[in-house]
Amino acid sequence: DQQVKQNSPSLSVQEGRISILNCDYTNSMFDYFLWYKKYPAEGPTFLISISSIKDKNEDGRFTVFLNKSAKHLSLHIVPSQPGDSAVYFCAASGGNFNKFYFGSGTKLNVKP
Amino acid sequence: GAGVSQSPSNKVTEKGKDVELRCDPISGHTALYWYRQSLGQGLEFLIYFQGNSAPDKSGLPSDRFSAERTGGSVSTLTIQRTQQEDSAVYLCASSFVQGVETQYFGPGTRLLVL
């Protein structure tokens, strides 16, 4: 029973354009959301987060949007760069920070 | 710099054998997490250690799985009588304080059970 879902296993985008990665969750108790980036043969690295009191958080080229009513969040990367090519995981927590639920990941390919 | 390290990086074993996976967290990090990523799946929480508190074992999938953390540092995840469905990448993460943003992941151990 996956509580966090990333329905697009892969995404291909041209360099300089916007990448939009989507994530849906089912548990209304989730109040903290994160995105991780993972390169092959490396562990995931934290990218950006958002709490449920906000609907947008921006950090440089990365912006995360949260739509609580739709239980949906998205990560926007603008402009996309070839170095952004990686697998992106979204994760959610219900305030108990020792347990996180991860999506299955979306593999982003940014073409030069 | 010294990040989270895991060993072995790859492990191939036969069904029914026991395996031990090791995690060396970042020095001084009090929290340590184990996750599993099966093919096509997200990261599945397994177990969490925080300081000297009793670990949160709620994510361990069966009693064949156990984990220890000795001296508040190195952790070992043991899988007894391995099954083919145990094949996955096992990831360890550590953090200085309890919190998600400060989690640092190791490169993982890729386990294949034949």
Side-chain angles (χ1 to χ4, degrees):
Chain A
D1 178 28
Q2 275 202 290
Q3 299 193 48
V4 178
K5 297 179 182 179
Q6 293 176 257
N7 292 318
S8 297
S10 64
L11 175 67
S12 187
V13 172
Q14 201 69 37
E15 180 179 6
R17 307 297 282 266
I18 185 171
S19 295
I20 300 176
L21 297 101
N22 293 303
C23 180
D24 297 290
Y25 61 97
T26 57
N27 191 335
S28 58
M29 298 300 291
F30 288 152
D31 59 6
Y32 196 72
F33 306 88
L34 308 94
W35 285 93
Y36 278 82
K37 178 178 178 180
K38 184 182 185 301
Y39 292 116
E42 296 182 10
T45 54
F46 169 76
L47 191 58
I48 193 169
S49 65
I50 190 168
S51 72
S52 59
I53 62 173
K54 300 174 74 173
D55 55 19
K56 177 183 174 181
N57 188 26
E58 189 172 352
D59 183 2
R61 297 185 297 113
F62 301 90
T63 302
V64 56
F65 294 92
L66 175 63
N67 183 335
K68 292 185 287 294
S69 61
K71 296 191 183 68
H72 177 84
L73 67 154
S74 61
L75 175 68
H76 293 209
I77 307 173
V78 181
S80 302
Q81 300 174 354
D84 297 330
S85 297
V87 177
Y88 289 79
F89 291 97
C90 67
S93 173
N96 181 6
F97 285 120
N98 61 322
K99 188 168 289 184
F100 314 106
Y101 298 86
F102 283 78
S104 54
T106 296
K107 185 174 183 179
L108 174 65
N109 178 34
V110 180
K111 297 177 287 187
Chain B
V4 177
S5 60
Q6 292 185 245
S7 60
S9 54
N10 290 281
K11 176 72 176 178
V12 181
T13 190
E14 293 179 350
K15 177 181 173 181
K17 295 285 181 68
D18 298 352
V19 295
E20 283 190 355
L21 312 179
R22 177 186 169 107
C23 172
D24 282 271
I26 293 173
S27 178
H29 279 193
T30 58
L32 187 147
Y33 306 76
W34 281 99
Y35 294 89
R36 172 171 76 172
Q37 186 183 13
S38 303
L39 191 64
Q41 302 295 314
L43 277 68
E44 175 189 4
F45 168 82
L46 296 178
I47 189 170
Y48 160 73
F49 296 90
Q50 172 60 41
N52 296 320
S53 302
D56 179 347
K57 304 180 182 179
S58 59
L60 295 178
S62 77
D63 58 7
R64 296 186 296 105
F65 287 72
S66 62
E68 290 184 341
R69 189 178 185 193
T70 54
S73 181
V74 171
S75 177
T76 302
L77 177 69
T78 302
I79 309 173
Q80 295 178 310
R81 306 179 302 281
T82 52
Q83 303 294 312
Q84 288 182 331
E85 60 263 28
D86 299 334
S87 297
V89 176
Y90 289 81
L91 288 157
C92 173
S94 71
S95 67
F96 181 65
V97 293
Q98 183 178 342
V100 181
E101 292 189 40
T102 54
Q103 275 194 11
Y104 295 87
F105 280 84
T109 294
R110 187 175 300 274
L111 174 66
L112 177 61
V113 182
L114 300 176

